Amino acid sequence: MSETAGRGSASRLHDQLDHIGELLRRVRGLGQLPEPDGDEGFREAQARLQALLDALHPADIATILEALPLVDRLAVWQRVKADRDGEILLEVSDAVRESLIADMDEREILAAVEPLDADELADLVEDLPTEVLPELMASLDAQQRERVQAALSYPEDQVGALMDFEMVTIREDISLETVLRYLRRFDELPAQTDKLFVVNHDNLLTGVLPLHWLLVNSPDRPVSEVMAPDVNTFHPEDDAYETAQAFERYDLVTAPVVDGSGHLIGRITIDAMVDVLREESESEALSRGGLREEEDVFASVWKSIRNRWAWLAINLVTAFIASRVIGLFEGSIQHLVALAALMPIVAGIGGNSGNQTITMIVRALALDQITPASARRLWRKEIAVALINGVVWGSVIGVVAWLLYDNFWLGAVMTAAMTLNLVLAAFCGVGIPLLMMRLGRDPALGSSVLITAMTDSGGFFIFLGLATLFLM
């Protein structure tokens, strides 16, 4: 049912995107007519566009902004109500956020970020123009300024940069009835509040009190009897991705953040952790394709070129190497033209098998499932899988080649080449991520480019070399 709901939501969002695009074109077309302000159709189109934007959730507007070309994106952005700007800036990707902020003046930027909490401000500060920062920090009260500075003092991949300071704390020596009376004084609880944090007089965390325990226990019982003393706690220096994995593993909604002495300094919430997991997944996908950073799909030509050129240059070198491998066997190809038709099959199947292996290994590394002791076992297992696949599918394509070209030995060479190239793909599929990790680099960085280079050059050399030895 959730999958159906998800598809329905995506479909509605796509329909809204089409509708917004149609209204933008209508407004733009009517606006070019003489005296558009007096034209009823122009005013009606503007009103419908504004009403549609006002009804959308900030996250939906963010998705729509990312899906629009720059001119249309800015046209929609200018029609978003100012009190929603900050929420939307938090939702859009970094690349799109840059284009939106560039279209705002200092007054608009300050008005957009003013309603945000300290942890949300910390997310945006690095993207704001430097000339805005002094006035922004001066507009904050002492507590907010201290919290923003605390969040900014940690790298963006650590828990400290993501922690939330809005939370409810209670003492362990009070009754549940007192807690209930205390909670009724709030107009609303902080978002994602599933538990209360129990501290002593020195602000040391002593436990947590889940809200449902508060409701099902007698009001006369003290907090110390009901609370859970053994809780999942994190430190501001903890890795954000590892923390997100812990949230997934233990089904957490919120968790306390404590300093080295155990003092409660903040909390981490599920929405921040979902963002971390999504960003890690997107980063891994970009890295596999050799992209240096997240790219606005509607970015300028020059920005896209700068983002993509490095690994394209590497790919050019590897493609040249593959072409020289083929050049070594020009005589063999001229003697038996069938080799030219068959060698892309060997390279293509090897590349696909290598990408399957490398995807699995990169995922296992991200989940800390591979140790030095298990690496050799993985290598043996993947080579065994490749060997069996090579023999089975190599035999299939070998029989096909034999029947097509009426040459048994050509089919045998095809089978052997396919098997050896799949073994090479398995060896490299495990070895490349492990080597990248040992060098302190992202295991996914350019993995797709590197494995393709290895299986192309290796596949051509193996196939054409065997053909030269046994068929010439």
Side-chain angles (χ1 to χ4, degrees), residues 8-58:
S9 175
S11 177
R12 285 194 301 273
L13 194 58
H14 187 272
D15 292 342
Q16 289 164 342
L17 176 60
D18 289 342
H19 192 191
I20 287 173
E22 179 185 341
L23 288 172
L24 282 172
R25 288 189 293 272
R26 180 171 173 78
V27 169
R28 192 173 292 119
L30 292 171
Q32 294 173 353
L33 298 175
E35 298 183 0
D37 290 337
D39 187 275
E40 184 177 345
F42 178 82
R43 291 198 302 271
E44 180 189 353
Q46 278 197 317
R48 289 173 60 192
L49 177 59
Q50 189 65 57
L52 178 55
L53 293 175
D54 291 346
L56 288 174
H57 189 278

Side-chain angles (χ1 to χ4, degrees), residues 174-182 184 214 218-221:
I174 61 176
S175 68
L176 297 185
E177 183 178 5
T178 304
V179 174
L180 288 168
R181 287 202 306 269
Y182 172 61
R184 293 190 189 102
L214 174 64
S218 169
D220 297 328
R221 297 186 67 184

Side-chain angles (χ1 to χ4, degrees), residues 115-413:
L116 301 179
D117 295 330
D119 57 306
E120 295 172 330
L121 276 174
D123 289 339
L124 290 180
V125 161
E126 291 185 357
D127 297 317
L128 300 180
T130 53
E131 58 269 19
V132 175
L133 298 182
E135 188 173 350
L136 171 61
M137 297 301 287
S139 68
L140 304 176
D141 60 39
Q143 185 183 53
Q144 282 184 307
R145 194 179 306 116
E146 182 181 348
R147 288 177 172 179
V148 170
Q149 291 171 343
L152 290 174
S153 66
Y154 297 99
E156 62 179 10
D157 60 348
Q158 290 186 354
V159 166
L162 304 171
M163 64 182 174
D164 182 5
F165 299 97
E166 300 296 326
M167 55 190 170
V168 180
T169 61
I170 56 174
R171 297 285 174 82
E172 59 184 358
D173 55 354
I174 61 176
S175 68
L176 297 185
E177 183 178 5
T178 304
V179 174
L180 288 168
R181 287 202 306 269
Y182 172 61
L183 293 181
R184 293 190 189 102
R185 294 167 55 187
F186 287 84
D187 293 329
E188 59 179 348
L189 295 177
Q192 284 90 43
T193 296
D194 68 321
K195 59 176 69 78
L196 310 178
F197 301 114
V198 185
V199 295
N200 63 17
H201 292 282
D202 296 322
N203 202 42
L204 287 170
L205 181 73
T206 58
V208 296
L209 178 63
L211 286 181
H212 64 279
W213 290 9
L214 174 64
L215 298 176
V216 298
N217 280 279
S218 169
D220 297 328
R221 297 186 67 184
V223 169
S224 57
E225 288 185 6
V226 180
M227 70 180 191
D230 185 19
V231 296
N232 291 290
T233 58
F234 300 95
H235 296 86
E237 299 84 7
D238 289 345
D239 181 79
Y241 183 61
E242 292 178 1
T243 302
Q245 290 177 314
F247 263 66
E248 181 183 23
R249 186 162 55 249
Y250 300 119
D251 293 327
L252 301 176
V253 176
T254 63
V257 180
V258 299
D259 63 16
S261 302
H263 295 96
L264 181 66
I265 58 174
R267 66 170 184 160
I268 201 76
T269 60
I270 183 63
D271 56 343
M273 295 296 94
V274 169
D275 288 342
V276 169
L277 292 172
R278 175 181 54 79
E279 289 169 6
E280 183 69 20
S281 175
E282 291 175 354
S283 176
E284 183 180 308
L286 292 171
S287 294
R288 280 202 302 269
L291 292 174
R292 296 188 304 168
E293 59 188 22
E294 181 185 27
E295 181 181 312
D296 179 2
V297 71
F298 296 108
S300 67
V301 172
W302 175 239
K303 281 189 176 181
S304 295
I305 289 172
R306 284 189 304 167
N307 191 32
R308 304 179 194 184
W309 77 269
W311 282 95
L312 285 178
I314 294 173
N315 202 13
L316 179 62
V317 173
T318 59
F320 179 77
I321 293 172
S323 72
R324 297 318 304 150
V325 170
I326 296 172
L328 294 174
F329 301 96
E330 285 181 359
S332 301
I333 295 173
Q334 290 174 356
H335 185 265
L336 188 58
V337 179
L339 298 178
L342 294 174
M343 64 183 184
I345 299 175
V346 176
I349 295 297
N352 184 47
S353 176
N355 272 306
Q356 290 176 340
T357 302
I358 215 165
T359 298
M360 187 195 69
I361 298 300
V362 167
R363 179 182 178 276
L365 286 171
L367 296 174
D368 290 328
Q369 295 175 343
I370 298 179
T371 63
S374 65
R376 290 183 181 179
R377 188 180 306 163
L378 266 177
W379 246 317
R380 291 195 296 268
K381 175 244 183 179
E382 288 301 316
I383 288 174
V385 170
L387 193 61
I388 295 171
N389 279 333
V391 170
V392 172
W393 296 109
S395 298
V396 171
I397 194 63
V399 170
V400 173
W402 175 20
L403 296 176
L404 279 176
Y405 299 101
D406 194 24
N407 188 329
F408 170 78
W409 288 109
L410 177 61
V413 164

